[in-house]
Amino acid sequence: MIEFLQLDFPSILLGTLAALSCGLLGNFLVLRKQALMGDTISHVVLPGIVAGFLLTGVSATWPMMLGAMIAALFAVAMIEVIRRAGRIETGAAMGVIFTTMFAAGVVMLEQSGARGVHLDVEHALYGNLESAIWLDAFGISDLWNPAALATLPEAIWRILGVTVLVILFILAFYKELMITSFDVAHADSLGISSSKFGIALVFMTALAAVAAFAAVGSILVIAMFICPAATARMLTDRLSTQLWISAFVSIISGILGYLLAAFGLGWLGYDNSVSAAGMIALVAGLLQVFAMIFAPRYGMLFNRATSTDQLEDDTPRMTP
């Protein structure tokens, strides 16, 4: 039990919080048809992280976080510049920016001494979730012992703070986010600036992606921005319910994904384990497939059981 608390519990907590913070914001990105924004930001932070290390010469958290945040905001600005100057659609502009900046980050990694501090392409993709350990935990009572909890890895406190900020952001501006996500023109007619709340959403997305990136890598960040929201979207037409379902899917993916990665092969008689971040993303993807097949209203089985006329009436729609 002590070994589980010291080695597995911090990783589960870190992966679950990363999934939750990204998954909640993903609902609004999916509704705005900006799901690729999370993908973009999770890639463009890489050159910022490497630049933070190269400029300071240390692998401290805050310089690399600051570099990642600057890179994310720079990417968002460049996407808008390319979209307007090149007169191309937003998705194409995102594709240009995230591939270019991620490639630049890979080149910087290869040519710098960042590998010596465990900052390389593999960590950028899969993160370093398993490195979160809690050596000061010696029993269940430490879970509510403030002195023991204070010794949890810094990455957990960082992603916990960001998760709380994300929840507060959604609670404070739920109505504005909902209206600007459904009908931009109607929002502007009510005096609710769709552009300001769009920028605020992108900023919070960048904050969540940067906080999660260092620990869990870009693969999990991408998956968690899209899969929980898309799964929840298949199961309900109400935004408030979708938020709760996406949060549940994020938490289940984080816990079940880590347990399968750490112990799944052992249960089958093998000695090795697999990437926890990769398995969490895989579980989230499988839950999405499950919803696509068995969702009571929009699932494939339901569609097969209904007539063509009924399908026309069952076009997916969303209500507050």
Side-chain angles (χ1 to χ4, degrees):
M1 186 63 189
I2 293 178
E3 183 179 346
F4 180 84
L5 275 177
Q6 292 181 336
L7 302 180
D8 300 305
F9 175 73
S11 297
I12 293 175
L13 191 57
L14 184 58
T16 302
L17 288 172
L20 182 60
S21 60
C22 295
L24 288 173
L25 291 172
N27 289 285
F28 300 100
L29 296 177
V30 169
L31 287 177
R32 291 166 178 253
K33 303 185 187 306
Q34 294 180 336
L36 193 58
M37 181 63 74
D39 188 1
T40 301
I41 292 176
S42 66
H43 281 81
V44 301
V45 297
L46 180 59
I49 290 174
V50 180
F53 167 75
L54 294 177
L55 290 174
T56 60
V58 296
S59 60
T61 298
W62 291 111
M64 292 196 289
M65 286 276 292
L66 181 61
M69 182 58 74
I70 292 173
L73 296 178
F74 173 76
V76 172
M78 289 304 299
I79 289 170
E80 189 64 17
V81 169
I82 291 177
R83 188 182 68 82
R84 294 189 178 188
R87 296 181 179 179
I88 60 177
E89 63 181 56
T90 304
M94 289 181 184
V96 171
I97 288 299
F98 94 71
T99 53
T100 303
M101 292 188 66
F102 187 72
V106 171
V107 172
M108 292 169 67
L109 276 176
E110 295 293 338
Q111 298 301 318
S112 68
R115 282 187 170 186
V117 292
H118 305 292
L119 181 58
D120 51 36
V121 176
E122 183 178 355
H123 283 88
L125 291 175
Y126 303 112
N128 202 14
L129 194 59
E130 293 83 353
S131 67
I133 55 177
W134 187 23
L135 295 178
D136 291 321
F138 298 103
I140 293 294
S141 60
D142 286 331
L143 292 175
W144 50 86
N145 181 353
L149 291 174
T151 61
L152 278 167
E154 182 184 353
I156 292 178
W157 289 110
R158 185 168 61 245
I159 194 65
L160 176 61
V162 171
T163 303
V164 171
L165 281 178
V166 167
I167 294 173
L168 292 176
F169 172 71
I170 294 174
L171 290 175
F173 302 109
Y174 176 76
K175 182 181 72 174
E176 290 82 358
L177 290 169
M178 176 185 66
I179 296 176
T180 55
S181 296
F182 286 128
D183 192 335
V184 172
H186 181 59
D188 290 334
S189 69
L190 295 176
I192 300 173
S193 175
S194 57
S195 59
K196 288 182 180 178
F197 281 97
I199 293 173
L201 179 61
V202 168
F203 179 82
M204 293 303 297
T205 300
L207 186 64
V210 169
F213 180 86
V216 301
S218 62
I219 290 180
L220 182 56
V221 173
I222 296 168
M224 286 303 123
F225 271 126
I226 300 174
C227 290
T231 301
R233 180 68 188 89
M234 297 291 298
L235 299 174
T236 182
D237 285 335
R238 294 188 65 84
L239 178 58
S240 55
T241 306
Q242 179 178 321
L243 287 167
W244 282 108
I245 294 176
S246 65
F248 178 75
V249 171
S250 299
I251 293 171
I252 290 296
S253 299
I255 296 174
L256 183 60
Y258 180 85
L259 293 177
L260 289 175
F263 307 109
L265 291 180
W267 295 334
L268 297 175
Y270 297 95
D271 294 330
N272 54 334
S273 59
V274 298
S275 165
M279 184 59 75
I280 292 172
L282 178 60
V283 170
L286 292 176
L287 290 175
Q288 165 65 18
V289 172
F290 186 84
M292 289 173 60
I293 298 174
F294 298 105
R297 184 176 178 83
Y298 302 123
M300 295 169 61
L301 292 182
F302 175 83
N303 287 340
R304 280 180 176 275
T306 53
S307 66
T308 303
D309 293 338
Q310 286 176 306
L311 286 176
E312 290 176 355
D313 294 335
D314 289 335
T315 302
R317 58 183 67 88
M318 178 62 75
T319 61

